């Protein structure tokens, strides 16, 4: 149980005070002049840059690199000559300075403020009117007069609301850091999602180098775009070709390995799905999926069992995406199923093959979106064969890159015959 006190004021975003119905066609088109964050990947996720006055939430597990990402962004924006204010509630200015030194990030126009009282912050923001304001993190901020502690649902909501008003009022782009805990119990980003203009999640495995910035909400662009970064000792670097990174450590011709092509927003990304199928020692078989939807994996195993006749009921199954990447697109179904079949049969997939297709409950391989783009990426990375749903191929016999042979398959049985040879 959590006590909540109703706040007396009803807050409206600035600019919406005079409410008169307008003919939609009479509403003036505001010129959106985006400015760059200094990182092509970050810009991509935002839909082409930062919009002045927008409120952006950057969520993620503690220690994943949110502060690093935003300090770098702050620095790069400040380099253009505009003022940037980085408000830290978690670290001292000395610590921020230390990190900045590590990143090599210094600029005349980058200011740091160690403060958690939002009214104080507002005073400084109004005096300085930066182009970009960074709040690290929302869990440490508080508004006076509220009985609850920083990080509580009420404080997080009230602080976000106030930041929203400041952002719209003064036309300041604001990035808010929000920690997400694994169980999601602590009040935080989930609560703020409907208030902000964009919600980005920074994710990845702390033990791996690369990080993915994923857009889950964006009022100014498309969602589901991802930005891929490489965490170096000197900060985050844009990854220009994610597929290359995800496939870097692949051992060619390995049993239980399949390459898939997933659309991440507008960009196709190739990744390796690995499966390990071993006889269960005792009791119920263990099933594990990482980087993939667990239910999807068990469903595909059921289809393999029932429609293809693989005896998987007495087998443990471990399935994951190599490198710590997370994929939840239906078009990778075929790759998952083939990786499992490959491990079960102890035979590798045909070398140089990429599997694309959604698998239905009757074992049929269903058409996917944007096959063209996926095949282009496959060709770019030097693969020579693609297994694709035949449903996709009826309209498209020509136009593939000549280095790639596209093989249409109708069912999982077909695909297994093609990829594993019977
Ligand atoms: P941090 O940005 O503090 O994470 P968050 O704000 O999300 O809690 O970064 C955490 C980790 O990143 C830390 O364990 C060290 C690592 N790191 C690097 O590997 N290279 C770097 O240049 C920096 C600044 C941090
Ligand atoms: Mg931090």
């Amino acid at each position: 149980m959590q006590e909540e006190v109703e706040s007396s004021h009803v807050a409206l975003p600035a600019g919406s005070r005079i409410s008169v119905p307008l003919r939609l066609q009479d509403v003036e088109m505001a010129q959106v002049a985006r400015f760059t964050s200094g990182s092509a990947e970050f810009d991509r996720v935002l839909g082409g840059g930062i919009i002045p006055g927008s409120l952006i939430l950057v969520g993620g597990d503690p220690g994943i690199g949110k502060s690093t990402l935003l300090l770098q962004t702050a620095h790069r924006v400040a380099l253009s000559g505009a003022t940037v204010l980085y408000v830290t509630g978690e670290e001292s200015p000395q610590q921020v300075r230390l990190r900045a030194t590590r990143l090599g990030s210094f600029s005349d126009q980058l200011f740091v403020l160690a403060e958690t009282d939002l009214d104080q912050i507002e005073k400084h923001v109004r005096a300085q009117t930066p182009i970009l304001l960074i709040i690290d993190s929302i869990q440490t901020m508080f508004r006076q007069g509220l009985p609850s502690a920083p990080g509580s649902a009420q404080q997080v909501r009230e602080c976000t609301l106030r930041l929203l008003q400041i952002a719209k009022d003064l036309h300041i782009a604001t990035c808010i850091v929000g920690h997400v805990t694994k169980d999601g119990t602590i009040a935080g980003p989930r609560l703020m999602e409907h208030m902000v203009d964009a919600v980005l999640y920074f994710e990845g495995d702390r033990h791996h180098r690369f990080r993915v910035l994923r857009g889950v909400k964006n009022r100014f662009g498309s969602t589901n775009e991802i930005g891929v970064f490489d965490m170096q000792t000197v900060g985050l670097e844009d990854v220009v070709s994610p597929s290359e990174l995800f496939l870097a450590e692949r051992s060619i011709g390995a049993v239980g390995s399949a390459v898939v092509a997933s659309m991440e927003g507008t960009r196709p990304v190739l990744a390796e799905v690995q499966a390990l199928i071993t006889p269960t020692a005792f009791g119920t078989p263990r099933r594990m999926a990482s980087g993939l939807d667990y239910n999807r994996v068990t469903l595909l195993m059921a289809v393999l069992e029932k429609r293809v006749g693989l005896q998987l009921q007495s087998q443990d199954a471990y399935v994951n995406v190599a490198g710590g990447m997370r994929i939840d697109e239906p078009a990778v179904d075929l790759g998952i199923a083939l990786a499992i079949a490959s491990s079960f049969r102890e035979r590798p997939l045909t070398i140089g093959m990429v599997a694309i297709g959604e698998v239905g409950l009757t074992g049929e391989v269903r058409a996917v979106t944007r096959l063209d783009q996926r095949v282009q990426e496959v060709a770019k990375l030097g693969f020579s064969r693609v297994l694709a749903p035949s449903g996709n191929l009826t309209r498209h016999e020509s136009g593939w890159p000549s280095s790639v042979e596209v093989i249409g398959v109708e069912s999982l049985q077909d695909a297994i015959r093609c990829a594993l040879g019977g």
Side-chain angles (χ1 to χ4, degrees):
M1 290 293 243
Q2 209 171 8
E3 184 189 307
E4 284 205 22
V5 178
E6 243 178 89
S7 66
S8 50
H9 61 274
V10 179
L12 274 175
S16 59
R17 272 170 211 135
I18 344 126
S19 55
V20 184
L22 289 173
R23 212 171 265 118
L24 190 54
Q25 64 196 33
D26 294 342
V27 176
E28 264 177 72
M29 285 264 274
Q31 269 304 336
V32 276
R34 295 171 188 260
F35 62 91
T36 174
S37 67
S39 149
E41 292 295 297
F42 199 167
D43 284 353
R44 170 207 301 282
V45 179
L46 288 171
I50 304 173
I51 293 195
S54 61
L55 200 60
I56 301 159
L57 170 66
V58 179
D61 293 338
I64 205 73
K66 300 178 295 298
S67 302
T68 307
L69 176 71
L70 291 176
L71 187 61
Q72 270 183 300
T73 305
H75 162 65
R76 288 176 181 155
V77 171
L79 271 185
S80 69
T83 307
V84 178
L85 181 60
Y86 185 99
V87 180
T88 166
E90 302 193 340
E91 294 160 311
S92 67
Q94 287 75 25
Q95 282 172 302
V96 176
R97 155 106 205 216
L98 211 64
R99 179 181 285 129
T101 317
R102 191 168 162 186
L103 303 174
S105 304
F106 278 108
S107 138
D108 289 352
Q109 294 306 313
L110 177 54
F111 292 84
V112 56
L113 171 69
E115 181 60 77
T116 54
D117 179 346
L118 209 66
D119 294 332
Q120 290 300 317
I121 294 168
E122 179 171 0
K123 218 171 64 192
H124 293 296
V125 170
R126 286 191 182 276
Q128 213 166 18
T129 57
I131 184 173
L132 176 65
L133 170 68
I134 288 162
I135 303 288
D136 189 1
S137 67
I138 194 71
Q139 273 91 2
T140 57
M141 300 296 153
F142 72 97
R143 294 206 66 187
Q144 284 172 8
L146 297 179
S148 46
S152 66
Q154 187 189 22
Q155 285 286 8
V156 167
R157 190 167 48 230
E158 291 296 320
C159 288
T160 309
L161 214 51
R162 190 71 214 137
L163 286 166
L164 178 70
Q165 285 168 330
I166 299 170
K168 302 296 168 193
D169 234 16
L170 303 176
H171 238 61
I172 296 171
T174 307
C175 287
I176 304 175
V177 172
H179 296 294
V180 187
T181 49
K182 281 268 181 290
D183 51 354
T185 46
I186 291 179
R190 298 266 157 219
L191 194 79
M192 307 154 63
E193 279 181 358
H194 69 281
M195 289 192 261
V196 300
D197 296 313
V199 181
L200 316 178
Y201 277 98
F202 204 37
E203 52 187 44
D205 190 325
R206 228 174 310 166
H207 308 293
H208 282 107
R209 266 176 29 204
F210 81 89
R211 302 281 184 274
V212 172
L213 187 65
R214 199 181 286 274
V216 295
K217 166 180 174 177
N218 191 350
R219 286 188 183 145
F220 306 116
S222 80
T223 45
N224 301 324
E225 282 290 350
I226 63 165
V228 184
F229 299 88
D230 189 356
M231 179 65 100
Q232 307 258 336
T233 48
V234 289
L236 292 155
E237 241 171 58
D238 283 14
V239 173
V240 182
S241 171
S243 304
E244 261 170 51
L245 177 77
F246 297 143
L247 295 178
E249 287 172 67
R250 196 170 59 98
S251 61
I252 291 163
V255 166
S257 152
V259 177
V260 297
S262 168
M263 286 305 296
E264 299 295 336
T266 53
R267 174 166 59 174
V269 172
L270 301 197
E272 182 194 6
V273 173
Q274 300 178 329
L276 182 65
I277 310 294
T278 57
T280 308
F282 46 70
T284 24
R286 272 176 63 81
R287 304 271 140 104
M288 207 193 77
S290 77
L292 296 165
D293 180 23
Y294 176 83
N295 293 324
R296 199 74 207 162
V297 170
T298 48
L299 183 147
L300 287 167
M301 290 183 71
V303 174
L304 279 168
E305 199 163 324
K306 197 85 178 166
R307 307 289 174 210
V308 187
L310 302 189
Q311 299 293 311
L312 295 167
Q313 70 270 49
S314 55
Q315 306 283 327
D316 289 346
Y318 306 92
V319 186
N320 84 318
V321 182
M325 169 77 178
R326 187 169 69 80
I327 314 179
D328 44 15
E329 210 224 353
V332 303
D333 283 358
L334 188 59
I336 300 173
L338 287 178
I340 293 171
S342 160
S343 176
F344 181 70
R345 294 226 170 129
E346 289 289 339
R347 300 168 83 131
L349 259 70
T350 309
I351 291 184
M353 182 178 270
V354 176
I356 303 171
E358 182 180 347
V359 175
L361 290 184
T362 65
E364 83 277 21
V365 175
R366 308 175 67 98
V368 300
T369 56
R370 302 188 196 230
L371 185 64
D372 284 5
Q373 266 173 284
R374 298 183 209 248
V375 174
Q376 297 290 347
E377 181 76 1
V378 166
K380 212 168 88 192
L381 277 124
F383 289 88
S384 53
R385 284 195 192 87
V386 174
L387 281 190
S390 24
N392 271 104
L393 302 184
T394 45
R395 281 156 287 136
H396 255 301
E397 293 303 340
S398 57
W400 309 116
S402 57
S403 62
V404 179
E405 182 194 356
V406 182
I407 306 160
V409 287
E410 286 194 358
S411 65
L412 203 45
Q413 288 96 316
D414 264 7
I416 289 178
R417 213 170 304 124
C418 271
L420 299 174

